[in-house]
Amino acid sequence: NNTTVFRSAGSDQDHIMGLYYADYDHQQVMKFEMKEGRYFSRDFPADTMAIILNEAAVKELGFAHPIGEEVVFFGGGTVAEAPRLKVVGVMKDFNFESFTAQVRPLAVRPVSTDRNLLARYTGSPKDAVAHVEKLWKQLAPSEALQYSFLDDNFDELFRAERRMGDIFTVFSGLAIFIASLGLFALAAFTSEQRSKEIGIRKVMGASVLGITMLLSKEFTRLVVFAFVPAAVAGWYVAHRWLEGFAYRIDVSPWTIFLSGLAALVLAWVTVSYQSIRAATINPSETLRME
């Protein structure tokens, strides 16, 4: 849509707002909701000089009761030449841009002809495109048909964020895998270094579970110590990233807690193999090696 200047009737304050033109069937196709008033109708000839605002535009213009108010539309020319348009409806705010920005003031004016066509379809998109192409060749054979899907247009708005999310997912997975390998190797080294201690404990009656818990306790302490600065850094980065969105969620403490719990579980799973393996070795073998 275009950007133009509006002014409420009786005011000398200019307001920069978005504007686009639509026909009488536009709402039925796009399915946006009206908060109050009505949409343009062929039953009202005076709608050629009417306008529809979204909630953000009503707030921008300062209307307490917008239906019936008049706005001055500066499409070019002087103030005296600018037409006065009557507000006949208010549509609910909807996002027509990226979520990084607030829904900005938007106005809709009626038009009888345009160079763009919007179509809502059900079923196969391939069949819908083929049908439109057939009609287009019949009505405008000398003009090339250019089309796009609305969901693809909106997808472009968030493609950068999705790409960044995919990159973070891949690198996070690699980091977790490398960290698990290092933890596995450290568990194997620790078990080998403490093989004599483990053998003596088994001779003295220690259970496999007790020895496994003993070996896992040290790694649990390391994971907890590492999690504290990682949680603070993760919360800060996520918070700063979310600040770039006008509509966003908050980083819940439960998310951080569950992340720490997942790290602990992953560490226990990683070291449990080596711990159980060391705890189940016959103590005579470990003591003989010493």
Side-chain angles (χ1 to χ4, degrees):
N1 56 75
N2 301 318
T3 300
T4 189
V5 178
F6 287 91
R7 181 184 297 179
S8 59
S11 171
D12 58 357
Q13 182 179 359
D14 294 337
H15 302 274
I16 300 177
M17 296 165 37
L19 170 70
Y20 74 92
Y21 293 86
D23 63 8
Y24 294 100
D25 301 313
H26 185 69
Q27 187 209 3
Q28 184 180 358
V29 174
M30 298 305 294
K31 302 296 184 183
F32 58 77
E33 299 181 33
M34 300 296 294
K35 181 181 180 182
E36 55 184 302
R38 61 175 177 82
Y39 190 69
F40 304 124
S41 173
R42 294 181 178 89
D43 297 331
F44 297 89
D47 277 359
T48 55
M49 296 300 293
I51 194 170
I52 290 176
L53 307 175
N54 68 349
E55 295 174 280
V58 171
K59 183 178 180 181
E60 174 73 17
L61 293 169
F63 291 148
H65 304 286
I67 305 301
E69 292 281 0
E70 290 186 338
V71 296
V72 181
F73 168 55
F74 290 93
T78 64
V79 176
E81 297 172 340
R84 289 173 174 259
L85 307 176
K86 184 178 180 180
V87 179
V88 297
V90 177
M91 57 185 177
K92 292 184 178 180
D93 284 343
F94 60 88
N95 284 94
F96 52 91
E97 296 174 316
S98 172
F99 284 137
T100 57
Q102 294 275 1
V103 175
R104 60 189 176 97
L106 182 66
V108 184
R109 288 202 62 189
V111 66
S112 57
T113 60
D114 196 17
R115 297 180 61 86
N116 298 306
L117 174 68
L118 298 177
R120 178 179 291 271
Y121 67 91
T122 57
S124 170
K126 183 178 180 181
D127 294 340
V129 170
H131 183 66
V132 171
E133 286 181 335
K134 182 179 179 180
L135 292 176
W136 186 272
K137 290 178 181 179
Q138 294 175 2
L139 300 175
S142 60
E143 296 288 337
L145 173 62
Q146 297 179 341
Y147 67 90
S148 64
F149 292 94
L150 188 60
D151 54 350
D152 291 336
N153 295 339
F154 277 106
D155 182 68
E156 291 180 3
L157 298 176
F158 307 101
R159 190 164 295 168
E161 283 79 10
R162 185 176 290 111
R163 187 181 299 112
M164 185 174 66
D166 293 339
I167 292 174
F168 270 107
T169 299
V170 171
F171 279 96
S172 297
L174 287 174
I176 292 173
F177 178 72
I178 294 173
S180 298
L181 287 180
L183 194 60
F184 184 83
L186 182 60
F189 177 76
T190 301
S191 300
E192 185 68 24
Q193 290 293 105
R194 301 180 64 176
S195 58
K196 182 177 180 180
E197 175 190 349
I198 294 172
I200 294 175
R201 287 181 179 273
K202 290 204 65 177
V203 170
M204 299 299 294
S207 64
V208 174
L209 179 61
I211 294 175
T212 302
M213 294 295 293
L214 176 67
L215 295 176
S216 300
K217 183 170 62 177
E218 296 184 4
F219 295 101
T220 300
R221 189 183 300 115
L222 292 175
V223 172
V224 172
F225 288 159
F227 173 72
V228 174
V232 174
W235 174 86
Y236 177 77
V237 171
H239 180 71
R240 291 300 301 270
W241 179 64
L242 289 171
E243 279 186 336
F245 291 86
Y247 303 93
R248 57 181 179 267
I249 62 173
D250 294 323
V251 182
S252 172
W254 281 105
T255 303
I256 299 176
F257 172 77
L258 291 176
S259 300
L261 183 61
L264 278 175
V265 171
L266 182 62
W268 288 335
V269 171
T270 303
V271 303
S272 61
Y273 172 77
Q274 289 294 345
S275 300
I276 295 174
R277 180 173 175 273
T280 54
I281 295 178
N282 193 325
S284 61
E285 298 180 8
T286 57
L287 294 176
R288 189 186 306 118
M289 285 190 297
E290 294 295 330

